[in-house]
Amino acid sequence: MSILLGGCSPTRKIARSNLKNTALQNSFHGLVVMDAKTQKILFNTNGDRYFTPASNTKIVTFYTGIKLLPKNIPTLTYTIANDTVFVKGTGDPSWLHPHLHDSTAINWLKKQGNIVLYTQNTDELRFGPGWAWEDFDTYFSPERTTIPLYGNVVAVSNNQGLEVSPSYFYNETQVAEHPFKRDELANHFYIAPSEQDTLEIPFMAGDSLTKQLLESGLEKKISMVNHFPEGPVGTLYGMETDSIYKQMLFKSDNFLAEQLLMTASSMISDTIGTKRAIAYMLENDLKDLEQQPRWVDGSGLSRYNLFTPKSFVQILSKLYNEVPEDRLFTLFPMWGPDSTVKEWEDPDTEPFLFAKSGSFGNNYNLSGYVRTKSGKVLIFSFMNNHFKVPSIEIRKTMYATLKELYERY
């Protein structure tokens, strides 16, 4: 059923016409469009129905960060006893991350005397609920840890000889044909002789490995402890969270999303974990959603997640009202018919679509903002589940609909 409020016939005609596209037949789709200023719903079809959101879930993770995290990410907490510093991780993903290039924690630790790590401040499982077991060696499925290092992946290339980063794993990496890129239960890695790309392969994390990787990065010995001592606790802050949000949203980075949710939980609990941040947000900042979601992870990897288009529009409205527009539209990806773009590719228009996509097999969703030619801002969520046509057909229909809204509203 399609619902139009406010009598805006151009919006109704655009949406209804495009929703009749054959690409959307025999599948499940929902579209809600709202005027950001008046908060009036302009179009609503299946807005209160639950969809599998995929990476649209990262919008909710982003909002969680906005509500719970400070300008600079808390990178570790510590207490000092005599000449020893006891350190707990917060889940901050930036430690030695290959793309974030932040060394705050490492440089600070290098200046300390004796370092003792405590890693048992979490009850998080290494994978999220409902994640596919066979993805253990895929770049988009790193494990979740309190002190992630190098993005919890090994970068392997074989263009002019074998190169492995971090080099700690060099002797565990082979150039060989293999059905997987890593053994399922061991840190043994494989790259095919014909592979031309650099592979990012998740490693199996653990306390012993964290200790050894940190010792290598710090060039000094450290110790582990099973109990964090009493005493005043300080917090070291790292890079600006906006830089992490932008990388997460533009690259749809699952690792950053999961770790940001863990770090957000460190602001409300001594025991960190994604489910604590989720529970807090659902009980507080998201308690007024008209349809309460089933929300189980930070990245959207799980098919257990269920959100309605109306819920995404409500969350996007909260973001629009709480974050200055110039900052918000810098952090949100620009989107075109070929999905997220770094540079706007439509020569006939200024950038007008700022939105996060979410996709996996037979699902493609897009939620965000349209800045119309007249200068107004529309908030929308366009969700499509269970289609069998190529996703490019879905994306073209979505783009045509949203571009018409840009031109005519």
Side-chain angles (χ1 to χ4, degrees):
M1 181 177 66
S2 300
I3 300 172
L4 175 74
L5 300 180
C8 183
S9 58
T11 304
R12 175 180 57 191
K13 289 178 181 178
I14 292 166
R16 285 184 172 172
S17 174
N18 283 282
L19 290 176
K20 293 178 181 178
N21 189 297
T22 56
L24 300 183
Q25 303 309 303
N26 301 317
S27 61
F28 187 45
H29 54 265
L31 173 61
V32 175
V33 183
M34 183 176 79
D35 186 304
K37 184 175 182 180
T38 66
Q39 302 285 291
K40 184 176 292 185
I41 298 293
L42 306 176
F43 187 83
N44 177 359
T45 187
N46 290 328
D48 60 352
R49 300 294 189 258
Y50 286 97
F51 290 75
T52 304
S55 284
N56 267 200
T57 308
K58 293 182 176 73
I59 294 171
V60 199
T61 298
F62 172 46
Y63 183 59
T64 302
I66 291 294
K67 299 305 294 186
L68 294 181
L69 291 173
K71 180 179 180 181
N72 290 75
I73 194 164
T75 191
L76 60 83
T77 57
Y78 64 92
T79 190
I80 298 174
N82 299 319
D83 62 347
T84 299
V85 58
F86 294 83
V87 173
K88 290 190 292 187
T90 62
D92 171 20
S94 68
W95 290 38
L96 299 171
H97 191 281
H99 305 301
L100 295 177
H101 306 297
D102 183 67
S103 54
T104 302
I106 298 300
N107 287 341
W108 185 83
L109 288 170
K110 284 181 177 180
K111 298 175 184 177
Q112 308 307 310
N114 297 321
I115 300 171
V116 178
L117 291 184
Y118 176 72
T119 61
Q120 298 176 32
N121 57 323
T122 184
D123 55 6
E124 192 75 282
L125 300 175
R126 61 187 182 127
F127 293 139
W131 290 11
W133 72 267
E134 71 268 28
D135 291 340
F136 69 89
D137 66 342
T138 55
Y139 73 95
F140 57 77
S141 192
E143 296 183 13
R144 306 184 293 190
T145 57
T146 58
I147 304 178
L149 301 169
Y150 301 97
N152 283 353
V153 297
V154 180
V156 182
S157 64
N158 187 38
N159 290 324
Q160 296 180 350
L162 182 63
E163 295 185 5
V164 181
S165 178
S167 59
Y168 174 89
F169 294 105
Y170 185 88
N171 291 332
E172 301 299 330
T173 306
Q174 299 178 39
V175 179
E177 297 290 352
H178 198 272
F180 296 102
K181 295 183 284 292
R182 195 199 80 206
D183 289 347
E184 183 179 355
L185 300 176
N187 282 323
H188 301 146
F189 304 91
Y190 306 92
I191 185 170
S194 59
E195 180 64 60
Q196 298 297 310
D197 295 330
T198 297
L199 302 181
E200 292 187 344
I201 309 170
F203 56 72
M204 287 190 67
D207 287 352
S208 176
L209 180 59
T210 298
K211 177 178 180 293
Q212 292 176 70
L213 288 177
L214 265 183
E215 286 179 337
S216 177
L218 296 174
E219 299 180 337
K220 62 194 301 183
K221 292 293 183 181
I222 60 177
S223 303
M224 308 289 292
V225 69
N226 292 323
H227 174 73
F228 198 77
E230 299 291 333
V233 176
T235 300
L236 178 70
Y237 294 91
M239 67 187 302
E240 290 192 0
T241 49
D242 275 7
S243 297
I244 306 177
Y245 298 146
K246 187 169 185 177
Q247 180 82 2
M248 174 190 71
L249 293 170
F250 273 64
K251 299 295 185 182
S252 202
D253 192 305
N254 296 327
F255 167 75
L256 295 182
E258 297 298 332
Q259 295 295 149
L260 278 169
L261 212 54
M262 287 186 70
T263 309
S265 76
S266 75
M267 305 299 294
I268 56 174
S269 173
D270 289 334
T271 303
I272 65 176
T274 54
K275 59 181 174 290
R276 282 178 165 75
I278 289 170
Y280 177 88
M281 291 297 292
L282 292 178
E283 292 168 4
N284 292 276
D285 299 281
L286 299 178
K287 67 181 180 181
D288 59 344
L289 295 181
E290 291 182 24
Q291 297 89 35
Q292 280 293 300
R294 184 186 188 188
W295 178 21
V296 303
D297 67 10
S299 61
L301 266 177
S302 178
R303 289 182 183 257
Y304 294 167
N305 291 303
L306 290 171
F307 282 79
T308 69
K310 185 66 177 295
S311 290
F312 276 120
V313 166
Q314 288 181 283
I315 295 165
L316 289 162
S317 179
K318 290 174 182 286
L319 279 165
Y320 187 78
N321 291 326
E322 296 172 29
V323 181
E325 185 178 307
D326 56 349
R327 178 188 175 200
L328 183 61
F329 287 3
T330 297
L331 297 176
F332 253 77
M334 293 183 293
W335 191 88
D338 295 324
S339 196
T340 299
V341 294
K342 291 183 178 179
E343 296 182 4
W344 190 251
E345 299 171 349
D346 188 339
D348 298 324
T349 66
E350 294 293 322
F352 66 86
L353 262 176
F354 303 88
K356 179 73 192 80
S357 61
S359 64
F360 41 47
N362 313 110
N363 293 265
Y364 196 96
N365 311 301
L366 188 72
S367 300
Y369 309 92
V370 178
R371 186 158 54 193
T372 71
K373 187 180 291 187
S374 68
K376 296 181 179 180
V377 173
L378 302 178
I379 302 173
F380 74 93
S381 181
F382 201 158
M383 305 188 75
N384 302 276
N385 282 191
H386 314 312
F387 56 81
K388 292 185 69 177
V389 299
S391 64
I392 185 61
E393 296 185 30
I394 303 295
R395 298 200 303 270
K396 285 180 177 178
T397 299
M398 298 168 79
Y399 185 76
T401 305
L402 297 168
K403 188 172 182 181
E404 283 194 69
L405 290 175
Y406 155 76
E407 290 174 340
R408 297 176 59 183
Y409 187 80

